[in-house]
C-alpha cells in the first residue's frame, strides 16, 4: 500500500473538503483490506500522543453513536413489522400505514448517517496514527 504523508497531512488539515474525505476514506479502506491484523492492533492500542488519543476518542464516540443508531433502526423495523402484520386492526386509516413506512425510512436514513459518521472518524483516526508512525520513523 502506497500513501503520501504530505497529502494525508493536508487532508487532515481540511477534513471537510470532498477531496480530503475521499483521500482519507480510500486510505482507510485500502489499509483495512490489505492489512486487517495491523488495523486490529491499531484499533485496540491506546495512544499517549495527544493527536492520536483525541482521534481515537472521536472514533470510539462515533462508533458508539453508530451502534446506537443501528439498534434504534432495528427496533423501528421490528416494531413496524409487528404492527404491520399483527396490528392491522390498529392501522385503519391510510395515514397510519404511511406514517409507519415513514418511520422505517427515517430509521434506515439514521442508520446510514451513523455509518457515514463512524467511517469519517475511523479514517481520521487511522490517518493520524499512520502519520504519527511515519514521523517517529523519520526522527529515528
Amino acid at each position: 500500500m502506497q500513501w503520501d504523508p504530505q497529502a494525508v497531512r493536508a487532508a487532515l488539515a481540511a477534513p471537510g473538503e470532498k477531496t480530503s474525505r475521499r483521500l482519507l476514506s480510500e486510505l482507510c479502506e485500502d489499509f483495512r483490506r490489505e492489512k486487517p491484523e495491523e488495523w486490529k492492533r491499531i484499533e485496540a492500542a491506546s495512544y499517549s500522543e495527544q493527536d492520536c488519543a483525541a482521534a481515537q476518542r472521536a472514533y470510539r464516540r462515533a462508533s458508539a453513536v453508530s451502534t446506537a443508531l443501528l439498534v434504534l433502526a432495528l427496533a423501528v423495523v421490528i416494531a413496524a413489522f409487528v404492527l404491520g402484520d399483527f396490528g392491522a386492526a390498529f392501522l385503519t386509516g391510510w395515514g397510519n400505514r404511511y406514517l409507519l413506512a415513514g418511520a422505517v425510512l427515517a430509521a434506515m436514513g439514521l442508520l446510514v448517517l451513523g455509518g457515514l459518521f463512524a467511517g469519517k472518524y475511523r479514517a481520521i483516526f487511522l490517518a493520524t496514527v499512520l502519520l504519527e508512525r511515519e514521523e517517529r520513523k523519520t526522527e529515528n
Side-chain angles (χ1 to χ4, degrees):
M1 179 185 82
Q2 298 292 327
W3 62 286
D4 179 20
Q6 296 295 4
V8 172
R9 192 171 283 112
L12 283 175
E17 293 180 12
K18 187 176 182 177
T19 55
S20 297
R21 286 192 312 261
R22 183 177 298 135
L23 175 80
L24 293 174
S25 176
E26 287 173 0
L27 172 70
C28 184
E29 289 307 312
D30 289 347
F31 189 85
R32 287 180 56 203
R33 193 176 318 111
E34 293 177 16
K35 301 179 180 181
E37 296 83 22
E38 182 68 20
W39 166 248
K40 288 177 185 175
R41 278 191 295 254
I42 287 173
E43 194 176 30
S46 63
Y47 298 91
S48 59
E49 298 87 8
Q50 184 178 4
D51 292 340
C52 293
Q56 188 175 36
R57 279 192 306 275
Y59 167 57
R60 286 185 177 163
R61 191 176 320 117
S63 270
V65 167
S66 179
T67 302
L69 289 174
L70 171 67
V71 170
L72 175 66
L74 183 63
V76 168
V77 170
I78 289 171
F81 178 76
V82 169
L83 282 176
D85 281 357
F86 304 113
F90 299 112
L91 301 174
T92 55
W94 64 269
N96 290 335
R97 285 181 296 207
Y98 290 116
L99 287 175
L100 196 59
V104 170
L105 286 176
M108 293 297 108
L110 286 175
L111 175 64
V112 169
L113 287 175
L116 291 173
F117 181 65
K120 173 186 172 183
Y121 285 101
R122 177 180 51 235
I124 290 172
F125 169 56
L126 177 66
T128 304
V129 170
L130 290 177
L131 278 178
E132 183 66 33
R133 285 183 177 181
E134 187 70 24
E135 288 174 4
R136 265 194 256 139
K137 273 191 218 176
T138 57
E139 287 176 1
N140 292 334

